[in-house]
């Protein structure tokens, strides 16, 4: 008899509130793994091509015409006004400006990559290049929010939260969604990895990937590096695990006594008891994953020095252990935001080219690339025209924000390697063919993870919410 | 275990949604029909077919019946959408495969069409008419006068409520659970009404009170407690999406968010309103329009925080859209919060399910377009004026100092530029052919050591950004003569002066450009108010201007010399923390260069500022509220929700479905007060609040979608009971306390949570109230309960919010509530997002919560405090007894006592052994790096964390003070912690 099915609580939601995603791993293990029937609902909508995501975020806005989308017309018309008049972006812009960087063709696909990213260029055939991503608003904050949460204002769940909500985590001893950066990235911060109204377990676990030790340019790892200092779930340092074991045993005993005494049958209390055991295990297993000292010298060298490199290597280690999505931000603030001088990209690229390439190579070496989706890019691109006037008249050779077209790339799980998708206009300002809105990108990422983006919904506040709202088309063309 | 598995499967079975439920129809089928078919096949009836009711579909059109229930293959509708025959629908398009599948499934399932769901129909080209059916929808009806029904078991009911509940149970041949024991009842009522557990003494007194009105007395005591408002006010704050800051992107305060420093005035007002039992009508009106209400407003004004505390979106996006987003929030929180209607759905199109046209949405939006953010000082006028005057004076002093130093800095630079030749020649003597000692050259030339040093470094810089030093460097390289050096130095000095003057001219021109174009825009300041973002210029002042610049090389030289050092980086714009440019001096470096008189002047200014700062009184509190614009505006409908795509202008007004005839127009000011009055006059508003209170007590509502009483919301489980309660509420002058009392005194409330297989099989979700619902305590109840039994709780009422820390002892309702970054503890225990109105709390059970119980400094500290309360007892047996009394207000049974004794008996010795073993293992495994040695045996290592999650989540470094306050860990404390984190303590019985 089904007198009053509670409307806002779908079966999936019910499971999510008890366990950890409708992947159901946690819940099944809590109640003895015998929930095979209920588990049906927890399966992805279709067979996934990727099991996990590593999102390398170049916060601030990488210039596409200086990296992955060369425009010979810029050489020719350097210093001349944009035909048809200026396009409104955040700030006042002036004449077209050539790229100061040289380009070279890489791989069998013949992808043009600038001198900023030679090592990534070497991986060109592993990568699916999307040159026509576009977003709505030429300001960091709304665009960062759009890229991360599918909505321009703060307060919606992030891509990562949706993924763990939909799929759970493969490793119950680690958070399903991890965000890495030495210091809080971007001018937005926590709202970018918020669970918003999804259950709290889906919040991104922000972990500072610095340990406070002194780093030098050559140092692959500081002598006083200590993974314990990074860990999110720290061990109780006031007493030891065996002592804690006895606490938990007593607690379980008392809870069972109460249940017997009151002839109680309460799945909530059962779940609470089971979650105690999971929590106990987390304490010992979580620290291990951040211990980069366990990597070989060769691996450390492959990534090179620096905090971006460390974030990348941790991302791979987390992915290896079944964390659903890891976001590694380049560094704190908006470092790619080259308003004043595009040459600022040089340092940023130096820090990220090697580790980004290493992520691809390392995943491949570990046999993980086939089912790990690597996504890389910024919240928007930069204008092919130079910025004028900002900074009190001191701007030199900078570029403004460009929401109309920018390049992102994906690699691994389920996308075509060596594929170049879409084309921008002669100057790289706007999309010429095959536009890809951020919603489309999200739809595609979810699709690759086995989720139909139109079906991953959450009823809150009187309506069904979706990562892609009422938009989003899967980019079937880029699927392998 | 297997029994539990079955149980869970049954529970879960409740949520199964099949192709035959109203839910499924509303969420899957109706949207397809509404978007794809209704345009032609409702009133227009093209092809003679209507598709807006089951009957119409069965009747069909010119080609015959549209559907054959149960047989999609024979249904014309399916053939048409599959487009396999000549009949292809919808015209000019094709449904997605999933949509076709849905329709097939629907037909296969028998073409269910829920009776209560009435479609919205558009007729007459955009003229929106509601149908009689829509007006007949249950929640729009006047209140029905109902009498409690007759029941068979006349002995059970205590109040009218019980008769409704029992009648329904009897209809299903179910029986209510027996009453709960008195100890549990008081625990339930206390936690429920005040959020705090009862003390042992209170329980004893209640159990010992044999009077028939004992519980009534207890309920009255609890309702009279100021803690009642702290508990139930928070229920409303969830709905009101109460937050104390907003995320702000262009972040001049460098916090990432804009705090509302006096937000607590609203929170405290809500708590007080509950405690004083302010009639609900006044409660509603004050929150929407206290500024427009008659009579003394002072006590009501803080209510405006409901609107004034945002969310505001500042400069977080395109201006028009951002302002529209803010209005959307107000419409959403008001319509769902007070009326249970999802008016927000009508922003982009007419509501798909409820009779709410987009025009209604924009009629309401106009009210908020006609209102703006306003701060209302909560201090006498004289105090406010004095504060403002002092603030102005202080600012004037600060500006004067800043301006003086800037001017002096420029003059110093200019003066030093005139000495360029001298210093360059001196540099030649040091680095060039003469190779003289630095000190000798400086002393002889009466030069400045630091400046000489700067020049030497400057002259040796590789020529990365400008070519002007190339000749000089070549000359030094080849050992040029004094004459050559003099010539080049002279030329360079001339160049510097030239660049300096050119820059000055350009700056003056740019000032003119800036002043002209920035007219009317608001300067971006630390404390821009939410209403100060109107144009795109406000968003990014000066971003639209084209300023003049010098040639690139010359700009770089200017920067390098007069502004900041262009050093190692590749860019021509130095970073903020770059060294000062060659001739640029600031701070002490500048003051050193000044004459003694000027230095004296600076010092006097500084002292003056210091004194003025000290003399500043504490900021006076003000309400973050709203006010009407002088000239109210009506908004056009935004087509497809896009403010840049305006349609017809809609006069400000109320929802048409809630007016008997034409839509009620708002003409007084913005119309907020009229809107509030219209809301309070609605029976719907009464149903909604009564249902919220019911849900607060029982966990499930009579309508379990408490903010959605529309077509897609739930129908009431006990419709007559809802009418009865709403009627009673009105009769009682909209008193919430009387409503609580009515509910608590019912037998329904006083049932036990006892299990019955028969009942469970019929109603697993307990929607018919055959027993009490056991619920995990929420975030506030957990923390407050622990503080209460540890004895640490500070019961002070109201005041500014504080961050939650392990040593914090105030009630959780006074914790900071951030929209930017919700407190980790609150988030972990399912506190709702303050960005959106929350209709209910959910309960999650996740391992991190257990980590909080196991490892957090907060829980450990409360446990140690609790243990101290029992520690003075003579032996472990007595200590355990005392702890049970404090925590559970009962003695332990024999089994529990034995378990406790056994735990404590083994504890100290075992711990010692383990520490020894662990220490041995650690030394063997790794040598701790210097400075990170493990703490000595038995000593507590310092904690480096702050916040409630200290010990669980890595956060900011904690204060030394906080560390000192933590008690050492003891075996009895750990035992107490087990009790505090047990099911019995953390669940509402």
């Amino acid at each position: 008899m089904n007198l009053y099915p509670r409307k806002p609580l779908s079966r999936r939601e019910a499971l999510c509130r008890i366990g950890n995603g409708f992947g159901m791993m946690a819940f099944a293990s809590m109640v003895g793994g015998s929930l095979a029937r209920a588990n049906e609902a927890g399966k992805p909508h279709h067979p996934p091509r990727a099991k996990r995501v590593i999102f390398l975020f170049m916060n601030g806005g990488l210039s596409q015409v200086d990296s992955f989308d060369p425009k010979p017309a810029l050489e020719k018309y350097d210093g001349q006004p944009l035909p048809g008049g200026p396009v409104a972006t955040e700030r006042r812009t002036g004449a077209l400006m050539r790229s100061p960087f040289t380009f070279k063709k890489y791989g069998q696909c013949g992808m043009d990559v600038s001198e900023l990213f030679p090592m990534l260029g070497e991986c060109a055939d592993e990568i699916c290049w999307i040159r026509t991503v576009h977003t709505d608003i030429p300001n960091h904050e709304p665009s960062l929010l759009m890229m991360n949460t599918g909505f321009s204002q703060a307060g919606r769940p992030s891509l990562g939260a949706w993924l763990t909500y939909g799929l759970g985590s493969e490793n119950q001893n680690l958070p399903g969604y991890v965000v890495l950066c030495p210091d809080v990235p971007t001018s937005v911060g926590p709202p970018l990895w918020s669970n918003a109204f999804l259950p709290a377990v889906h919040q991104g676990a922000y972990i500072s990937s610095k340990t406070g030790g002194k780093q030098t340019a050559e140092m692959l790892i500081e002598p006083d590096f200590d993974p314990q200092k990074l860990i999110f779930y720290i061990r109780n340092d006031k007493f030891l695990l065996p002592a804690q074991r006895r606490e938990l045993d007593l607690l379980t005993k008392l809870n069972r006594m109460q249940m017997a005494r009151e002839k109680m049958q309460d799945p909530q209390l059962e779940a609470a008891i089971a979650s105690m055991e999971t929590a106990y295990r987390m304490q010992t297993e979580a620290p291990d994953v951040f211990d980069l000292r366990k990597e070989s010298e060769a691996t450390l060298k492959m990534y090179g020095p620096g905090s971006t490199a460390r974030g990348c290597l941790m991302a791979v280690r987390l992915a290896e252990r079944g964390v659903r999505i890891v976001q590694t931000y380049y560094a704190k603030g908006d470092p790619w935001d080259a308003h004043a001088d595009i040459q600022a990209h040089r340092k940023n690229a130096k820090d990220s080219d090697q580790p980004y390439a290493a992520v691809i190579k390392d995943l491949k070496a570990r046999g993980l690339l086939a089912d790990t989706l690597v996504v890389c890019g910024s919240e928007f691109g930069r204008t092919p025209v130079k910025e004028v006037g900002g900074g009190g008249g001191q701007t030199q050779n900078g570029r403004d924000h460009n929401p109309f077209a920018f390049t992102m790339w994906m690699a691994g799980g389920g996308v075509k390697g060596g594929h170049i998708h879409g084309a921008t206009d002669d100057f790289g300002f706007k999309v010429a063919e095959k536009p890809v809105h951020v919603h489309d990108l999200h739809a595609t990422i979810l699709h690759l993870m086995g989720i139909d983006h139109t079906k991953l919904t959450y009823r809150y506040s009187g309506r069904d919410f979706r990562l892609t709202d009422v938009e989003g088309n899967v980019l079937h063309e880029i699927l392998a | 275990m297997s029994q539990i598995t079955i149980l869970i499967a049954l529970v879960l079975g409740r949520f199964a949604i099949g192709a035959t439920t109203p839910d499924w129809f509303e969420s899957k089928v109706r949207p397809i029909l509404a978007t794809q078919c209704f345009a032609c096949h409702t009133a227009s009836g093209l092809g003679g077919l209507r598709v807006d009711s089951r009957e119409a579909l069965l009747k069909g059109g010119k080609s015959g019946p549209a559907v054959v229930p149960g047989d999609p293959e024979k249904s014309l509708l399916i053939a048409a959408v599959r487009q396999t025959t000549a009949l292809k629908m919808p015209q000019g398009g094709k449904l997605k495969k999933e949509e076709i599948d849905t329709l097939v499934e629907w037909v296969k399932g028998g073409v269910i069409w829920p009776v209560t769901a009435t479609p919205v129909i558009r007729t007459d080209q955009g003229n929106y008419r509601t149908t009689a059916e829509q007006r007949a929808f249950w929640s729009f009806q006047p209140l029905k006068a109902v009498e409690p029904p007759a029941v068979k078991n006349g002995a059970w009911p205590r109040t009218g409520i019980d008769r409704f509940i029992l009648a329904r149970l009897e209809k299903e041949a179910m029986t209510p659970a027996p009453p709960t024991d008195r100890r549990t009842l008081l625990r339930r009522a206390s936690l429920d009404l005040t959020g705090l557990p009862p003390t042992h003494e209170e329980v004893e007194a209640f159990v010992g009170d044999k009077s028939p009105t004992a519980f009534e007395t207890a309920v009255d005591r609890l309702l009279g407690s100021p803690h009642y408002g702290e508990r139930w006010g928070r229920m409303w704050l969830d709905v009101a999406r109460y937050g104390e800051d907003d995320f702000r992107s262009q972040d001049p305060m460098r916090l990432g968010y804009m705090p509302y420093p006096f937000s607590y005035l609203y929170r405290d007002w809500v708590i007080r309103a509950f405690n004083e039992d302010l009639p609900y009508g006044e409660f509603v009106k004050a929150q929407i329009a206290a500024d427009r209400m008659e009579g003394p407003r002072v006590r009501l004004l803080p209510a405006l925080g409901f609107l004034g505390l945002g969310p505001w979106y500042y400069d977080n996006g395109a201006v028009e859209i951002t302002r529209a987003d803010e209005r959307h929030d107000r419409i959403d929180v008001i319509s769902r919060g007070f009326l249970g209607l999802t008016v927000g759905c009508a922003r982009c199109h007419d509501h798909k399910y409820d009779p709410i046209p987009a025009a209604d949405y924009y009629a309401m939006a106009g009210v908020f377009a006609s209102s703006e953010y306003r701060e209302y000082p909560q201090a006498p006028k004289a105090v406010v004026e004095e504060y403002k005057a002092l603030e102005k004076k202080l600012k004037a002093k600060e500006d004067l100092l800043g301006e003086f130093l800037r001017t002096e800095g420029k003059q110093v630079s200019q003066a030093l530029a005139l000495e360029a030749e001298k210093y360059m020649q001196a540099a030649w003597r040091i680095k060039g052919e003469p190779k003289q000692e630095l000190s000798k050259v400086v002393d002889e030339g009466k030069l400045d050591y630091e400046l000489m040093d700067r020049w030497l470094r400057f002259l040796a810089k590789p020529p990365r950004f400008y070519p002007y030093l190339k000749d000089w460097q070549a000359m030094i390289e080849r050992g040029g003569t004094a004459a050559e050096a003099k010539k080049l130095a002279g030329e360079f000095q001339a160049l510097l002066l030239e660049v300096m003057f050119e820059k000055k001219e350009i700056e003056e021109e740019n000032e003119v450009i800036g002043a002209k174009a920035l007219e009317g825009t608001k300067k971006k300041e630390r404390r821009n108010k939410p209403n100060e973002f109107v144009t795109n210029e406000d968003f990014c002042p000066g971003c639209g201007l084209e300023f003049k610049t010098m040639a690139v090389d010359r700009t770089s030289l200017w920067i390098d010399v007069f502004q900041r050092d262009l050093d190692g980086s590749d860019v021509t714009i130095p970073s903020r923390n770059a060294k000062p440019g060659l001739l640029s001096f600031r701070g002490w470096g500048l003051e050193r260069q000044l004459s003694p008189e000027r230095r004296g002047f600076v010092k006097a200014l500084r002292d003056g500022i210091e004194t003025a700062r000290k003399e500043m009184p504490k900021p006076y509190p003000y309400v973050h509220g709203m006010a009407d614009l002088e000239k109210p505006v009506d908004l056009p409908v935004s087509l497809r929700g896009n403010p840049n795509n305006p349609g017809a202008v809609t006069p400000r007004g109320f929802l048409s479905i809630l007016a008997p005839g034409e839509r009620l127009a708002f003409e007084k000011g913005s119309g907020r007060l009229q809107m509030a009055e219209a809301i309070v006059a609605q029976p719907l508003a009464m149903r909604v609040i009564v249902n919220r209170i019911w849900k607060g007590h029982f966990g499930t509502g009579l309508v379990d979608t408490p903010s959605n009483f529309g077509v897609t919301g739930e129908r009431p489980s006990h419709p007559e009971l809802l009418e009865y309660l709403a009627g009673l509420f009105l009769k009682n002058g909209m008193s919430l306390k009387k409503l609580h009392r009515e509910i608590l005194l019912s037998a329904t409330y006083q049932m036990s949570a006892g299990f019955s297989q028969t009942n469970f099989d019929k109603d697993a979700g307990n929607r018919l109230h055959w027993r009490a619902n056991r619920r995990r305590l929420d975030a506030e109840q957990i923390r407050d309960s622990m503080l209460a039994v540890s004895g640490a709780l500070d019961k002070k009422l109201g005041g500014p919010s504080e961050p939650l820390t392990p040593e914090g002892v105030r009630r959780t309702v006074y914790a900071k509530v951030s929209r930017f970054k919700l407190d980790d503890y609150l988030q972990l225990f399912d506190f709702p997002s303050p960005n959106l109105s929350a209709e209910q709390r959910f309960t999650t059970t996740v391992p991190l919560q257990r980590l909080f119980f196991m490892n957090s400094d907060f829980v450990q500290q409360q446990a140690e405090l609790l243990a101290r309360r029992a520690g003075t007892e003579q032996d472990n047996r007595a200590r355990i007894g005392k702890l049970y009394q404090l925590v559970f207000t009962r003695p332990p049974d024999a089994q529990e006592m034995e378990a406790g004794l056994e735990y404590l008996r083994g504890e100290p010795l075992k711990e010692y052994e383990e520490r020894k073993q662990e220490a041995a293992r650690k030394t063997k495994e790794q040598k701790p790096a210097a400075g990170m040695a493990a703490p000595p045996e038995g000593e507590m290592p310092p904690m480096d964390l702050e916040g409630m999650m200290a010990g669980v989540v890595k956060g900011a470094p904690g204060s030394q003070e906080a560390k000192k306050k933590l008690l050492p860990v003891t075996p009895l404390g750990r035992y107490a912690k087990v009790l505090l984190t047990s099911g019995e303590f953390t669940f509402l019985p």
Side-chain angles (χ1 to χ4, degrees), chain A residues 6-7 17-18 92 141 195 200 229 232-233 236 238 243-244 246 255 261 283 340 393-394 396 461, chain B residues 23 249 336 543-544 549 563 572-573 704 712 827 844-845 848 855 857 896 907 915 952 954 974 983:
Chain A
R6 288 174 62 175
K7 187 157 313 228
R17 286 184 191 137
I18 298 173
R92 185 71 173 251
E141 299 74 17
N195 56 298
K229 285 190 169 181
F232 171 82
Y233 310 109
N236 191 330
K238 296 173 204 71
Q244 203 172 53
R246 274 199 312 283
N255 281 343
R261 189 173 60 237
Q283 301 177 100
Q394 287 175 24
Q396 305 267 18
S461 235
Chain B
D23 266 357
S249 62
R336 287 196 301 119
C543 281
T549 52
Q563 199 188 29
T572 51
I573 301 298
D704 209 30
T712 56
Q827 178 137 18
T844 64
T845 305
L848 253 182
N855 293 344
D857 290 333
E896 289 168 330
E907 201 48 19
R915 275 186 183 276
V952 186
K954 188 155 175 77
R974 288 166 48 189

Side-chain angles (χ1 to χ4, degrees), chain B residues 325-347:
Chain B
D325 286 344
E326 287 168 353
R327 294 193 287 270
H328 183 78
D329 164 78
R330 315 303 181 249
I331 291 172
D332 182 61
V333 72
I334 285 182
S335 66
R336 287 196 301 119
F338 295 118
L339 292 169
L341 288 177
T342 51
V343 178
C345 295
R347 181 178 181 177

Side-chain angles (χ1 to χ4, degrees), chain A residues 431-444:
Chain A
V431 175
E433 48 192 77
K434 300 184 185 167
V436 176
H437 192 273
V438 176
H439 293 308
D440 304 330
L441 202 70
H442 287 159
T444 308

Side-chain angles (χ1 to χ4, degrees), chain B residues 207-454:
Chain B
V207 172
D209 186 349
K210 299 297 174 210
S211 125
T213 56
F215 188 57
E216 224 171 312
T217 312
V219 168
D220 287 338
R221 172 178 64 80
L222 292 168
L223 282 173
S225 154
H227 302 309
Y228 156 76
E230 291 174 326
R231 171 93 200 131
W232 282 83
R234 186 56 243 181
M235 181 279 294
W236 179 254
L237 294 173
D238 282 9
V239 177
R241 85 272 176 256
Y242 170 69
E244 302 180 340
D245 59 28
D246 269 314
F247 163 68
R248 174 161 174 204
S249 62
Q250 310 270 306
D251 175 24
M253 295 178 97
R254 305 216 161 262
L255 291 167
Y257 58 92
M258 287 295 281
Y260 302 122
F262 301 104
S263 46
Y264 68 89
L265 293 174
Y266 171 67
R267 180 246 285 143
D268 287 349
W269 182 85
V270 169
I271 291 174
R272 208 172 59 229
F274 273 85
N275 277 335
E276 292 174 0
D277 203 14
L278 186 70
Y280 184 67
E282 298 301 297
F283 181 72
V284 174
K285 279 195 280 185
Q287 293 182 79
I288 300 176
D291 58 318
R292 305 283 300 178
M293 286 167 81
E294 306 253 318
R297 306 178 312 169
V298 177
R299 281 173 71 78
L300 293 180
L301 274 177
L304 286 176
F306 178 73
L307 297 172
L309 289 170
W312 298 102
Y313 301 130
Y314 294 90
D315 36 14
N316 307 344
V319 173
E320 299 78 12
I321 295 169
T322 304
R323 298 291 81 77
D325 286 344
E326 287 168 353
R327 294 193 287 270
H328 183 78
D329 164 78
R330 315 303 181 249
I331 291 172
D332 182 61
V333 72
I334 285 182
S335 66
R336 287 196 301 119
F338 295 118
L339 292 169
L341 288 177
T342 51
V343 178
C345 295
R347 181 178 181 177
C348 306
H349 45 69
D350 295 338
H351 200 292
K352 290 252 165 83
Y353 308 107
D354 293 329
I356 304 167
D360 277 10
Y361 176 97
Y362 289 94
M364 284 181 78
V367 172
F368 298 104
S370 305
S371 309
E372 66 169 7
Y373 175 83
R374 177 74 55 85
E375 288 170 358
Y376 295 95
Q378 295 289 90
K381 209 169 175 189
V383 173
V384 174
E385 270 162 16
E386 195 205 340
Y387 185 89
K388 283 190 172 157
L390 287 172
E391 198 178 35
K392 208 168 153 189
K393 262 192 211 159
L394 173 61
K395 184 156 188 304
K397 282 182 179 160
E398 286 169 342
D399 287 351
L400 181 61
L401 177 65
E403 188 51 40
F404 180 79
L405 288 176
R406 250 191 312 280
T407 315
E408 286 300 314
K410 268 190 192 164
Q411 281 172 4
V412 165
S413 300
Q414 283 171 16
L416 295 179
L418 290 167
E419 294 185 5
E421 195 179 339
K422 190 163 94 185
Y423 275 87
M424 284 174 80
Q425 282 176 290
W428 173 80
R429 285 171 64 189
I430 298 162
K431 293 288 173 186
E433 206 40 42
K435 293 268 187 285
Q436 290 177 356
E437 281 290 317
L438 172 75
S439 52
K440 183 170 180 268
V441 175
V442 169
D443 288 346
E444 285 178 10
K446 296 205 170 81
L447 303 177
D448 182 277
Y449 264 105
E450 193 199 335
L451 189 57
M452 190 68 241
D453 204 55
R454 285 192 183 192

Side-chain angles (χ1 to χ4, degrees), chain B residues 136-184:
Chain B
F137 188 67
W138 78 272
S139 65
F140 302 137
Q141 302 314 301
L143 284 183
K144 256 186 269 169
V146 285
E147 286 302 317
V151 291
K152 287 177 211 148
N153 179 4
W156 190 75
R158 289 166 184 269
T159 66
I161 290 173
D162 298 329
R163 303 179 77 90
F164 290 98
I165 295 294
L166 185 61
R168 187 65 214 276
L169 286 173
E170 286 176 346
K171 195 175 143 203
E172 305 292 341
M174 290 160 72
T175 47
T180 192
D181 65 274
R182 289 172 74 90
R183 190 187 63 81
T184 305

